[in-house]
Amino acid sequence: MAQITLGGTPTETSGKLPENGSKLSNFILTASDLSTKNLHDYDGYRKVLNIFPSVDTGVCATSARKFNEEASRLENTKVLCISRDLPFAQARFCASEGLENVEMLSDFKQGSFGKENGLEISNGAFEGLHSRVVIVLDKDNTILHTEQVPEIGQEPNYQDALNALQ
């Protein structure tokens, strides 16, 4: 498990992130249109997984905006924003913000993505939500970079994630 904080209060996650160089396990998530998506729907693309507790918090919204901006400059790359938010909230957020370069995916139905990848918050006020994590994959789903943000209210290191794609 990873030790993280929420507003300075210690909390922890359900495990450790997958290791760089390993393959990310397949997932089943729900898209904003309520269709089911899995990792193999994105085969052949490089992927930035921007994972966070809720799009309705300031830092989560900022990370979605920032990756949306950066994604427009990336070739053959999909940015997947993953949370436990309902697909309706994710779609509303993207529409109100004009985000067109990221794809929102929800773990509300299966609820297994966070647990299987060691990033679900296991205690405290955000228990059951995803911690703030970035995972970068190559086109064959090999993990190039991971970041477990130590304080939930802190933004991820965008440049490190983007550099992993170079």
Side-chain angles (χ1 to χ4, degrees), residues 34-126:
L34 300 180
S35 65
T36 299
K37 296 287 189 170
N38 67 66
L39 180 60
H40 300 296
D41 289 328
Y42 306 97
D43 282 351
Y45 291 97
R46 302 178 309 166
K47 293 157 280 292
V48 176
L49 280 58
N50 177 34
I51 306 157
F52 48 79
S54 175
V55 75
D56 286 324
T57 62
V59 177
C60 301
T62 297
S63 71
R65 285 186 212 106
K66 180 69 174 174
F67 277 121
N68 179 71
E69 178 185 325
E70 295 296 334
S72 66
R73 301 180 193 129
L74 302 172
E75 291 186 29
N76 198 42
T77 304
K78 298 282 186 181
V79 177
L80 309 177
C81 293
I82 303 171
S83 70
R84 299 285 311 264
D85 289 300
L86 291 175
F88 312 113
Q90 293 175 332
R92 174 192 41 78
F93 173 78
C94 285
S96 70
E97 295 288 330
L99 303 185
E100 298 177 351
N101 300 315
V102 297
E103 185 171 340
M104 292 283 183
L105 297 173
S106 176
D107 191 23
F108 90 101
K109 195 180 280 187
Q110 302 293 328
S112 58
F113 177 81
K115 290 177 186 167
E116 290 173 2
N117 290 292
L119 57 89
E120 182 176 282
I121 299 169
S122 58
N123 60 1
F126 279 17

